[in-house]
Amino acid sequence: MKTDLTDTTSSKINKALVQGRRAIGTPAVGMVLTLVIVTDEENAYDALRAANDASREHPSRTLVVIKRVSRSPRDRTKSRLDAEVRLGVEAGTGETVVLRLYGEVVDHAQSVVLPLLLPDAPVVVWWPVNAPSDPANDPLGALAQRRVTDTYACEQPVRELSARADAYSPGDTDLSWTRITPWRSMLAAALDQVACEVDAVEVEGEEFNPSCELLAMWLADRLAVPVKRSVSAGPGLTAVRMATDCGPIVLDRADGSLATLSIQGQPDRAVALKRRETAELIAEELRRLDPDDTYASALRYGVDRLNAGTAGAPADDAEEGAVKTAAKAPARRTAKAPAKQAAKAPAKKAAAK
């Protein structure tokens, strides 16, 4: 069921939602959160499709905020709100409201969204593109417990990681970080099978991919060893190589779907590491609404520290795909981590005596 409202208000939209639920025979509200998507017209369709797919796991009220650009000074002084109310099959398992803001109301989107939030339910704000430099202090971001950005969609994605670190607030997260969850799980599980020291790590992946930098910063932060960032043709992350005193540990994914895990003294194993769709990434982020301390620690490690080994190199080397190495840490860690923490935060390694 779809209802179009032109030059409307938040109260009329709420009334249309109630009438729509009664018309399709579901007067009760059975949703667990409000997902606010802030995007432009070009990316609205893909973002909404991903949100609808994710709603099968997390029934939610989805509010799509599209800020339309006024073409003349006269248009910028005229405020108007148009809306599409979608329920039933057209809205996945929840409710969808597409909001198009014109004129001066563009600068006050939070006043439009606030009356439409589900009462006593968490709020998640997602910027597929054009995320603010400080999401927590954005008027819409201030309404949310979780704020999801995607540095991969930025013009200079690796450099953007430094800005995200400077502006980080508990509740911030990044889909570039979510993309490497299977990699972190597999690497932690591999280290759980051996009891030896990790001496150095190399992370290989395509250029302009912030997930590679995030994985390198996570490994450098957790293992306190030198990490080398090298460039490949992709797609995405292609390999992680760890040098240990028991022999190399290699996780190699050349085709973007099937990887090979090689551990010294053990037969090679094929593991599924396919590149995931945006709907899967959003669904994963909606499973947890508490701050991600592991992401914060890896982000604050800093891209600049990964570049510390290339003294005298230009600042743009991160964007140009130059090889990056982490500053050597004073302590060495062993490659023994509890598997139960594989997905989010493998424990620091301690030498087994």
mmCIF file of all heavy atoms in Angstrom, residues 225-255:
data_model
loop_
_atom_site.group_PDB
_atom_site.id
_atom_site.type_symbol
_atom_site.label_atom_id
_atom_site.label_comp_id
_atom_site.label_asym_id
_atom_site.label_seq_id
_atom_site.Cartn_x
_atom_site.Cartn_y
_atom_site.Cartn_z
ATOM 1 N N VAL A 225 52.709 -5.192 16.506
ATOM 2 C CA VAL A 225 53.810 -5.596 15.630
ATOM 3 C C VAL A 225 53.779 -4.717 14.381
ATOM 4 O O VAL A 225 52.767 -4.061 14.103
ATOM 5 C CB VAL A 225 53.689 -7.086 15.228
ATOM 6 C CG1 VAL A 225 53.776 -7.988 16.449
ATOM 7 C CG2 VAL A 225 52.390 -7.344 14.459
ATOM 8 N N PRO A 226 54.878 -4.674 13.613
ATOM 9 C CA PRO A 226 54.865 -3.904 12.365
ATOM 10 C C PRO A 226 53.843 -4.467 11.377
ATOM 11 O O PRO A 226 53.737 -5.681 11.201
ATOM 12 C CB PRO A 226 56.296 -4.065 11.826
ATOM 13 C CG PRO A 226 57.108 -4.444 13.010
ATOM 14 C CD PRO A 226 56.203 -5.241 13.900
ATOM 15 N N VAL A 227 53.089 -3.582 10.758
ATOM 16 C CA VAL A 227 52.088 -3.978 9.758
ATOM 17 C C VAL A 227 52.384 -3.247 8.455
ATOM 18 O O VAL A 227 52.488 -2.023 8.435
ATOM 19 C CB VAL A 227 50.650 -3.666 10.234
ATOM 20 C CG1 VAL A 227 49.647 -4.028 9.146
ATOM 21 C CG2 VAL A 227 50.331 -4.419 11.511
ATOM 22 N N LYS A 228 52.508 -4.002 7.388
ATOM 23 C CA LYS A 228 52.788 -3.451 6.068
ATOM 24 C C LYS A 228 51.511 -3.449 5.244
ATOM 25 O O LYS A 228 50.814 -4.452 5.175
ATOM 26 C CB LYS A 228 53.858 -4.300 5.377
ATOM 27 C CG LYS A 228 54.182 -3.886 3.946
ATOM 28 C CD LYS A 228 55.196 -4.847 3.354
ATOM 29 C CE LYS A 228 55.490 -4.544 1.899
ATOM 30 N NZ LYS A 228 56.442 -5.520 1.317
ATOM 31 N N ARG A 229 51.197 -2.335 4.633
ATOM 32 C CA ARG A 229 50.018 -2.208 3.766
ATOM 33 C C ARG A 229 50.483 -2.183 2.319
ATOM 34 O O ARG A 229 51.204 -1.274 1.908
ATOM 35 C CB ARG A 229 49.252 -0.942 4.127
ATOM 36 C CG ARG A 229 48.218 -0.484 3.088
ATOM 37 C CD ARG A 229 47.018 -1.409 3.017
ATOM 38 N NE ARG A 229 45.930 -0.748 2.300
ATOM 39 C CZ ARG A 229 45.618 -0.973 1.032
ATOM 40 N NH1 ARG A 229 46.298 -1.850 0.333
ATOM 41 N NH2 ARG A 229 44.613 -0.326 0.464
ATOM 42 N N SER A 230 50.113 -3.184 1.543
ATOM 43 C CA SER A 230 50.497 -3.242 0.139
ATOM 44 C C SER A 230 49.256 -3.219 -0.739
ATOM 45 O O SER A 230 48.146 -3.515 -0.286
ATOM 46 C CB SER A 230 51.338 -4.490 -0.146
ATOM 47 O OG SER A 230 50.636 -5.658 0.240
ATOM 48 N N VAL A 231 49.456 -2.862 -1.997
ATOM 49 C CA VAL A 231 48.348 -2.636 -2.929
ATOM 50 C C VAL A 231 48.260 -3.784 -3.931
ATOM 51 O O VAL A 231 49.274 -4.262 -4.438
ATOM 52 C CB VAL A 231 48.535 -1.301 -3.675
ATOM 53 C CG1 VAL A 231 47.441 -1.101 -4.720
ATOM 54 C CG2 VAL A 231 48.527 -0.144 -2.693
ATOM 55 N N SER A 232 47.030 -4.226 -4.201
ATOM 56 C CA SER A 232 46.792 -5.249 -5.212
ATOM 57 C C SER A 232 45.689 -4.764 -6.147
ATOM 58 O O SER A 232 45.100 -3.702 -5.942
ATOM 59 C CB SER A 232 46.387 -6.569 -4.548
ATOM 60 O OG SER A 232 45.085 -6.472 -3.987
ATOM 61 N N ALA A 233 45.367 -5.569 -7.133
ATOM 62 C CA ALA A 233 44.315 -5.211 -8.085
ATOM 63 C C ALA A 233 42.920 -5.452 -7.535
ATOM 64 O O ALA A 233 41.929 -5.100 -8.170
ATOM 65 C CB ALA A 233 44.506 -5.995 -9.385
ATOM 66 N N GLY A 234 42.818 -6.052 -6.336
ATOM 67 C CA GLY A 234 41.515 -6.315 -5.759
ATOM 68 C C GLY A 234 40.913 -7.612 -6.269
ATOM 69 O O GLY A 234 41.621 -8.454 -6.826
ATOM 70 N N PRO A 235 39.627 -7.835 -6.086
ATOM 71 C CA PRO A 235 38.658 -6.914 -5.491
ATOM 72 C C PRO A 235 38.731 -6.867 -3.973
ATOM 73 O O PRO A 235 38.895 -7.886 -3.316
ATOM 74 C CB PRO A 235 37.310 -7.507 -5.928
ATOM 75 C CG PRO A 235 37.585 -8.977 -6.052
ATOM 76 C CD PRO A 235 38.999 -9.098 -6.537
ATOM 77 N N GLY A 236 38.606 -5.662 -3.407
ATOM 78 C CA GLY A 236 38.615 -5.481 -1.960
ATOM 79 C C GLY A 236 39.896 -5.972 -1.336
ATOM 80 O O GLY A 236 40.998 -5.850 -1.883
ATOM 81 N N LEU A 237 39.769 -6.542 -0.145
ATOM 82 C CA LEU A 237 40.891 -7.184 0.533
ATOM 83 C C LEU A 237 41.249 -8.467 -0.207
ATOM 84 O O LEU A 237 40.363 -9.243 -0.582
ATOM 85 C CB LEU A 237 40.511 -7.514 1.971
ATOM 86 C CG LEU A 237 40.755 -6.445 3.029
ATOM 87 C CD1 LEU A 237 39.926 -6.752 4.268
ATOM 88 C CD2 LEU A 237 42.220 -6.386 3.393
ATOM 89 N N THR A 238 42.539 -8.701 -0.394
ATOM 90 C CA THR A 238 42.941 -9.904 -1.119
ATOM 91 C C THR A 238 43.782 -10.859 -0.276
ATOM 92 O O THR A 238 43.743 -12.065 -0.519
ATOM 93 C CB THR A 238 43.722 -9.536 -2.395
ATOM 94 O OG1 THR A 238 44.796 -8.643 -2.055
ATOM 95 C CG2 THR A 238 42.804 -8.851 -3.400
ATOM 96 N N ALA A 239 44.541 -10.357 0.711
ATOM 97 C CA ALA A 239 45.379 -11.276 1.486
ATOM 98 C C ALA A 239 45.851 -10.632 2.781
ATOM 99 O O ALA A 239 46.020 -9.414 2.855
ATOM 100 C CB ALA A 239 46.589 -11.736 0.671
ATOM 101 N N VAL A 240 46.052 -11.476 3.787
ATOM 102 C CA VAL A 240 46.734 -11.095 5.029
ATOM 103 C C VAL A 240 47.797 -12.156 5.280
ATOM 104 O O VAL A 240 47.499 -13.361 5.284
ATOM 105 C CB VAL A 240 45.763 -11.020 6.220
ATOM 106 C CG1 VAL A 240 46.535 -10.765 7.514
ATOM 107 C CG2 VAL A 240 44.721 -9.939 5.999
ATOM 108 N N ARG A 241 49.028 -11.703 5.461
ATOM 109 C CA ARG A 241 50.146 -12.623 5.704
ATOM 110 C C ARG A 241 50.784 -12.280 7.045
ATOM 111 O O ARG A 241 51.212 -11.141 7.243
ATOM 112 C CB ARG A 241 51.164 -12.529 4.576
ATOM 113 C CG ARG A 241 50.580 -12.823 3.191
ATOM 114 C CD ARG A 241 51.628 -12.682 2.100
ATOM 115 N NE ARG A 241 51.036 -12.948 0.780
ATOM 116 C CZ ARG A 241 50.508 -12.004 0.014
ATOM 117 N NH1 ARG A 241 50.490 -10.746 0.433
ATOM 118 N NH2 ARG A 241 49.978 -12.313 -1.163
ATOM 119 N N MET A 242 50.860 -13.259 7.925
ATOM 120 C CA MET A 242 51.458 -13.061 9.239
ATOM 121 C C MET A 242 52.702 -13.925 9.362
ATOM 122 O O MET A 242 52.636 -15.150 9.168
ATOM 123 C CB MET A 242 50.453 -13.408 10.344
ATOM 124 C CG MET A 242 49.266 -12.469 10.381
ATOM 125 S SD MET A 242 48.128 -12.775 11.751
ATOM 126 C CE MET A 242 47.291 -14.230 11.128
ATOM 127 N N ALA A 243 53.818 -13.279 9.688
ATOM 128 C CA ALA A 243 55.065 -14.004 9.921
ATOM 129 C C ALA A 243 55.168 -14.310 11.413
ATOM 130 O O ALA A 243 55.082 -13.402 12.243
ATOM 131 C CB ALA A 243 56.254 -13.161 9.473
ATOM 132 N N THR A 244 55.303 -15.591 11.750
ATOM 133 C CA THR A 244 55.422 -16.004 13.143
ATOM 134 C C THR A 244 56.671 -16.864 13.306
ATOM 135 O O THR A 244 57.273 -17.313 12.319
ATOM 136 C CB THR A 244 54.183 -16.804 13.597
ATOM 137 O OG1 THR A 244 54.256 -18.135 13.049
ATOM 138 C CG2 THR A 244 52.891 -16.143 13.146
ATOM 139 N N ASP A 245 57.068 -17.107 14.558
ATOM 140 C CA ASP A 245 58.240 -17.950 14.783
ATOM 141 C C ASP A 245 57.921 -19.425 14.583
ATOM 142 O O ASP A 245 58.814 -20.279 14.707
ATOM 143 C CB ASP A 245 58.821 -17.706 16.178
ATOM 144 C CG ASP A 245 57.805 -17.941 17.288
ATOM 145 O OD1 ASP A 245 56.673 -18.371 16.981
ATOM 146 O OD2 ASP A 245 58.141 -17.680 18.457
ATOM 147 N N CYS A 246 56.678 -19.758 14.260
ATOM 148 C CA CYS A 246 56.294 -21.134 13.932
ATOM 149 C C CYS A 246 56.058 -21.311 12.438
ATOM 150 O O CYS A 246 55.601 -22.365 11.999
ATOM 151 C CB CYS A 246 55.032 -21.533 14.691
ATOM 152 S SG CYS A 246 55.177 -21.474 16.481
ATOM 153 N N GLY A 247 56.292 -20.241 11.669
ATOM 154 C CA GLY A 247 56.030 -20.312 10.238
ATOM 155 C C GLY A 247 54.937 -19.340 9.835
ATOM 156 O O GLY A 247 54.220 -18.786 10.681
ATOM 157 N N PRO A 248 54.763 -19.113 8.545
ATOM 158 C CA PRO A 248 53.780 -18.122 8.089
ATOM 159 C C PRO A 248 52.340 -18.609 8.235
ATOM 160 O O PRO A 248 52.051 -19.796 8.144
ATOM 161 C CB PRO A 248 54.140 -17.935 6.614
ATOM 162 C CG PRO A 248 54.782 -19.229 6.217
ATOM 163 C CD PRO A 248 55.516 -19.717 7.429
ATOM 164 N N ILE A 249 51.449 -17.634 8.453
ATOM 165 C CA ILE A 249 49.997 -17.856 8.427
ATOM 166 C C ILE A 249 49.449 -16.926 7.351
ATOM 167 O O ILE A 249 49.647 -15.709 7.428
ATOM 168 C CB ILE A 249 49.348 -17.564 9.784
ATOM 169 C CG1 ILE A 249 49.895 -18.498 10.860
ATOM 170 C CG2 ILE A 249 47.829 -17.687 9.697
ATOM 171 C CD1 ILE A 249 49.378 -18.176 12.261
ATOM 172 N N VAL A 250 48.785 -17.483 6.353
ATOM 173 C CA VAL A 250 48.329 -16.700 5.203
ATOM 174 C C VAL A 250 46.836 -16.934 4.984
ATOM 175 O O VAL A 250 46.380 -18.084 4.949
ATOM 176 C CB VAL A 250 49.109 -17.064 3.927
ATOM 177 C CG1 VAL A 250 48.599 -16.250 2.739
ATOM 178 C CG2 VAL A 250 50.607 -16.865 4.128
ATOM 179 N N LEU A 251 46.100 -15.835 4.840
ATOM 180 C CA LEU A 251 44.696 -15.889 4.438
ATOM 181 C C LEU A 251 44.602 -15.151 3.112
ATOM 182 O O LEU A 251 44.734 -13.926 3.062
ATOM 183 C CB LEU A 251 43.798 -15.238 5.497
ATOM 184 C CG LEU A 251 42.286 -15.293 5.241
ATOM 185 C CD1 LEU A 251 41.802 -16.730 5.135
ATOM 186 C CD2 LEU A 251 41.525 -14.570 6.359
ATOM 187 N N ASP A 252 44.411 -15.889 2.041
ATOM 188 C CA ASP A 252 44.497 -15.341 0.684
ATOM 189 C C ASP A 252 43.153 -15.486 -0.016
ATOM 190 O O ASP A 252 42.610 -16.579 -0.118
ATOM 191 C CB ASP A 252 45.587 -16.097 -0.101
ATOM 192 C CG ASP A 252 45.938 -15.407 -1.411
ATOM 193 O OD1 ASP A 252 45.077 -14.687 -1.940
ATOM 194 O OD2 ASP A 252 47.055 -15.592 -1.905
ATOM 195 N N ARG A 253 42.617 -14.351 -0.499
ATOM 196 C CA ARG A 253 41.353 -14.363 -1.250
ATOM 197 C C ARG A 253 41.556 -13.582 -2.544
ATOM 198 O O ARG A 253 41.476 -12.360 -2.571
ATOM 199 C CB ARG A 253 40.227 -13.727 -0.433
ATOM 200 C CG ARG A 253 38.864 -13.829 -1.113
ATOM 201 C CD ARG A 253 37.800 -12.993 -0.422
ATOM 202 N NE ARG A 253 38.055 -11.565 -0.580
ATOM 203 C CZ ARG A 253 37.254 -10.602 -0.103
ATOM 204 N NH1 ARG A 253 36.196 -10.923 0.592
ATOM 205 N NH2 ARG A 253 37.551 -9.319 -0.275
ATOM 206 N N ALA A 254 41.809 -14.298 -3.606
ATOM 207 C CA ALA A 254 42.142 -13.644 -4.864
ATOM 208 C C ALA A 254 40.916 -13.287 -5.695
ATOM 209 O O ALA A 254 40.961 -12.365 -6.503
ATOM 210 C CB ALA A 254 43.073 -14.536 -5.688
ATOM 211 N N ASP A 255 39.804 -14.008 -5.504
ATOM 212 C CA ASP A 255 38.659 -13.830 -6.407
ATOM 213 C C ASP A 255 37.478 -13.122 -5.771
ATOM 214 O O ASP A 255 36.436 -12.948 -6.403
ATOM 215 C CB ASP A 255 38.202 -15.185 -6.943
ATOM 216 C CG ASP A 255 37.735 -16.130 -5.835
ATOM 217 O OD1 ASP A 255 37.824 -15.742 -4.645
ATOM 218 O OD2 ASP A 255 37.277 -17.242 -6.152
#
